[in-house]
Amino acid sequence: MTLNILFAANAQRWADYETHLHAALSDLGMIDYQLAEQIDPKDVDYIIYAPDSALQDFTPYVKSKAVLNLWAGVEAIVGNPTLHLPLARMVDPSMTQGMMEWVTGHCLRHHLGMDTHITATPGTWEPSAPPVTWDRKIAVLGMGALGAACARSLAALGFEVHGWSRSLKQIEGLITHHGPDGLRNALNGADGVVLLLPKTPETENTLNGDTLPFLAQGAFVLNPGRGPLIDDAALIEALNSGQIGHATLDVFRIEPLPQDDPYWRHPNVTVTPHIASETRPAYAAKIIAENIRRGEAGEPFLHLVDRNRGY
């Protein structure tokens, strides 16, 4: 019997993914299948999905076995009242690698004080070597696949890395904390903080006027996770006071970031346009194909979303 796989995303993503998905499915020995942007809902077995898709009512998909999200974030779909199917988020090794590179690069940039020399007036000669990584503490908030990978990369360079998550997570080789008290311990005296938490009501404004002062004076903030993790007004205030030395921000509550947003004009803020990492179709297609294989073999799906937690 033909397996019917609906690609429910925009036309550009179809152009990006079609060839890679066929190759990934073929590599797993799948031959008798239909992969298309239009399939009768009652016949669809799997839905490959992007939350900005026109498909918002899942009620007609009566025989579907799973929704396979193309994005790591699921906040735009997890609360859909018509969605009762298993939902798998995207955990793409190339996305993890890209995020690890972005976080590691910017941590080293701030640790080494690179901006001072890059923007220095020609002829300036003020030698001042930074401390070694052993003398720097960095807090990584969020110990999912992305956070754990970034924490390991930073720890491998010698940083004293403290990871934090809302619930207990023990990761070999890393110092981890959890819960409200653990958040203070992770942040206390940290020279930098990396935010890689999911966006949920519980994680909104994790960095705020109460938690920012836990950091060392002049600490840096990196946010490649979700815009709402930061209380923006509190961060601006901390930047103005010198409590935070620099913030490098890749995600925002409104994107693109409005031209009149104060982050654009602040001398101690670097804005990057949501490019810390992204899903690469060639690699993501393999994850999608593997989940379809698992579904057909009766095996557990990879990266299932916990509806109660929202991620």
Side-chain angles (χ1 to χ4, degrees), residues 2-215:
T2 299
L3 196 65
N4 292 299
I5 305 167
L6 175 67
F7 190 88
N10 62 39
Q12 181 56 56
R13 288 197 182 92
W14 176 243
D16 293 339
Y17 274 90
E18 182 183 10
T19 299
H20 295 298
L21 284 167
H22 281 300
L25 291 164
S26 176
D27 287 345
L28 293 178
M30 297 184 193
I31 300 172
D32 190 9
Y33 68 86
Q34 176 187 196
L35 171 66
E37 293 183 282
Q38 298 291 331
I39 301 176
D40 191 325
K42 67 177 174 39
D43 295 327
V44 172
D45 295 293
Y46 296 93
I47 304 172
I48 300 172
Y49 190 74
D52 60 356
S53 164
L55 196 171
Q56 296 297 319
D57 182 5
F58 293 88
T59 306
Y61 296 87
V62 292
K63 65 172 285 195
S64 296
K65 300 173 185 176
V67 173
L68 308 174
N69 207 44
L70 290 173
W71 298 0
V74 294
E75 58 268 18
I77 180 180
V78 71
N80 188 313
T82 70
L83 179 60
H84 303 289
L85 298 165
L87 171 64
R89 62 190 179 88
M90 175 54 64
V91 177
D92 164 18
S94 68
M95 179 189 297
T96 302
Q97 179 69 18
M99 183 64 77
M100 183 178 67
E101 293 174 4
W102 188 93
V103 166
T104 303
H106 281 286
C107 280
L108 284 172
R109 165 197 166 199
H110 292 302
H111 161 63
L112 295 172
M114 290 181 174
D115 289 7
T116 299
H117 306 290
I118 292 170
T119 63
T121 302
T124 301
W125 188 267
E126 296 178 2
S128 177
V132 294
T133 57
W134 306 336
D135 298 323
R136 299 274 204 200
K137 175 181 176 181
I138 296 179
V140 178
L141 308 188
M143 285 286 99
L146 295 177
C150 292
R152 289 192 187 97
S153 175
L154 295 172
L157 288 170
F159 289 108
E160 179 190 335
V161 180
H162 289 247
W164 180 82
S165 51
R166 289 181 57 233
S167 56
L168 175 63
K169 287 190 178 179
Q170 294 179 327
I171 301 174
E172 185 177 355
L174 296 178
I175 303 168
T176 56
H177 309 269
H178 71 283
D181 290 339
L183 178 60
R184 178 167 190 158
N185 291 335
L187 292 175
N188 192 39
D191 300 289
V193 58
V194 181
L195 289 98
L196 281 166
L197 293 160
K199 177 184 173 293
T200 69
E202 293 75 23
T203 62
E204 187 166 359
N205 294 330
T206 295
L207 275 193
N208 55 50
D210 293 328
T211 55
L212 282 164
F214 296 154
L215 296 164

Side-chain angles (χ1 to χ4, degrees), residues 255-268:
E255 294 184 4
L257 187 65
Q259 290 296 314
D260 61 352
D261 192 283
Y263 281 142
W264 284 116
R265 300 185 301 278
H266 201 287
N268 294 325

